Amino acid sequence: MKPLFRVVSFGLCLLSILSYASRFASGWISLCSLIFLPVALLNLVCAGIACSLKPKRWAWLSFVGFILHVGNLHAIYQFPKGETKEAEGIPLTVVTYNTHNFYNGKNCLPEAMDYLRGLDADLFCTQEGPVPEFTPEDTIQKYFSDWKYRYMSTEAGYSSVSIFSRYPIRKVEPIYYDTIPAVTLIADIEVEGRTIRLLNNHLQTTSVNLYRDSIQHPIHEESRIAALKQLLFSLKDNFQRRARQA
C-alpha cells in the first residue's frame, strides 16, 4: 500500500509541475494547464492521507504539488473578508452582446433590439457588430436611439466593437491585438459627476461551439473523430492567442 501511494504522490507532483510549467510554454504542452484544478485537489487529498501514515516524510511531495497552484485557485475562488456591504452609488445596468452582426441565417436586428430594450440597459457593449460597412447610419439611429452616446471601433481589418451609453463617453482607448482581428475598448464614462471605467473585451474564441454539433450529432463515427481532432488543434492555437492577449 505504501509503495503504491508513494508512486501516486510522486506522479501527481510531476503532473503539478508540468501543469504549472505549461503556462509559460507553447505547443501541445500548453493544454496541460487545463488539468490544474483536479491535480491540485488530488494533491491535497494525498497530503491528508500522507499525514495519517508513518513515516510522514512523503507528505511534502503532495504539499508541493498543491502549493504550486495556490495562485490559480485564489484567482478563481476568492472568499469575502468580513461582512460585505453594498456600496453606495448609482445603479447601472450593463449589457454585453456578441451580435455576429445581428445575422443568424437572417437579419435578426429588429427582434434582438426589441429584447434588449426590455433590459433597460444604461450601457450596451457589442462585439462583432453593428458593422458600419453593412449597417447604414439611419438603421443605427433607428435601433440604437435609446443610447445618446456611442463609440464604434472602425479600424480596417478588425471586427467591430462598440459602446452605446446613456451617459457621456469622455475617453476611449482601443487596444488592437496582433494575434487576431479583435479589439478591447477601455472607456471612461461620466455618470452624474463620477467617472467609471468600462472595458469591452472581444477575445479569441475557444472554437468549442464550432465543432459541438459534429461531435454530439455526427453523421458517422469517423466525422466525430475528425471533429475532435480539429477541436484539439483549434484549442491549442486559440489558448496560445488568448495567453498573448492577456
Side-chain angles (χ1 to χ4, degrees):
M1 179 66 182
K2 288 184 179 179
L4 177 62
F5 179 76
R6 292 169 185 170
V7 171
V8 172
S9 298
F10 187 73
L12 284 172
C13 186
L14 285 179
L15 279 176
S16 291
I17 294 171
L18 182 63
S19 176
Y20 178 80
S22 66
R23 298 185 300 169
F24 311 101
S26 59
W28 287 107
I29 193 175
S30 62
L31 292 176
C32 293
S33 60
L34 297 175
I35 64 173
F36 89 88
L37 184 57
V39 169
L41 294 178
L42 285 173
N43 271 290
L44 188 61
V45 171
C46 284
I49 295 174
C51 288
S52 65
L53 299 176
K54 292 182 180 181
K56 301 179 180 180
R57 60 177 180 270
W58 289 96
W60 69 270
L61 270 177
S62 299
F63 279 120
V64 169
F66 176 76
I67 291 171
L68 283 174
H69 298 295
V70 168
N72 287 343
L73 292 170
H74 180 66
I76 299 174
Y77 305 104
Q78 298 187 14
F79 301 97
K81 298 179 180 179
E83 183 181 354
T84 58
K85 296 181 180 180
E86 186 175 347
E88 295 181 0
I90 304 163
L92 291 174
T93 300
V94 181
V95 172
T96 181
Y97 180 31
N98 190 311
T99 68
H100 202 261
N101 203 31
F102 296 97
Y103 186 82
N104 186 22
K106 66 174 184 177
N107 179 22
C108 58
L109 177 60
E111 293 86 350
M113 294 312 299
D114 284 343
Y115 172 77
L116 290 164
R117 287 195 192 96
L119 300 178
D120 195 27
D122 299 294
L123 301 167
F124 179 30
C125 301
T126 67
Q127 305 87 39
E128 299 185 17
V131 180
E133 292 91 332
F134 305 107
T135 309
E137 177 62 27
D138 59 344
T139 301
I140 295 176
Q141 291 284 357
K142 175 182 178 181
Y143 288 104
F144 295 85
S145 59
D146 284 4
W147 300 278
K148 182 178 179 181
Y149 306 93
R150 74 184 187 202
Y151 180 94
M152 303 175 67
S153 64
T154 56
E155 184 74 13
Y158 288 86
S159 62
S160 177
V161 178
S162 304
I163 296 174
F164 298 89
S165 173
R166 290 176 176 169
Y167 298 96
I169 301 174
R170 296 305 184 193
K171 178 183 177 182
V172 178
E173 179 184 350
I175 299 176
Y176 299 99
Y177 299 103
D178 296 331
T179 54
I180 59 169
V183 187
T184 288
L185 299 181
I186 304 176
D188 289 341
I189 300 173
E190 184 179 334
V191 181
E192 298 185 13
R194 301 182 182 182
T195 300
I196 66 168
R197 176 152 291 181
L198 176 72
L199 274 71
N200 184 6
N201 281 316
H202 183 214
L203 302 179
Q204 175 67 33
T205 179
T206 60
S207 296
V208 171
N209 289 333
L210 183 63
Y211 301 100
R212 188 187 301 275
D213 287 341
S214 299
I215 295 172
Q216 293 181 340
H217 309 288
I219 300 174
H220 44 73
E221 191 60 28
E222 288 79 5
S223 65
R224 186 201 302 271
I225 295 173
L228 284 169
K229 290 180 179 178
Q230 291 173 343
L231 175 59
L232 285 174
F233 278 107
S234 296
L235 285 173
K236 178 179 79 72
D237 182 56
N238 292 339
F239 284 157
Q240 290 175 0
R241 292 185 179 188
R242 281 190 167 193
R244 287 193 289 269
Q245 283 180 290

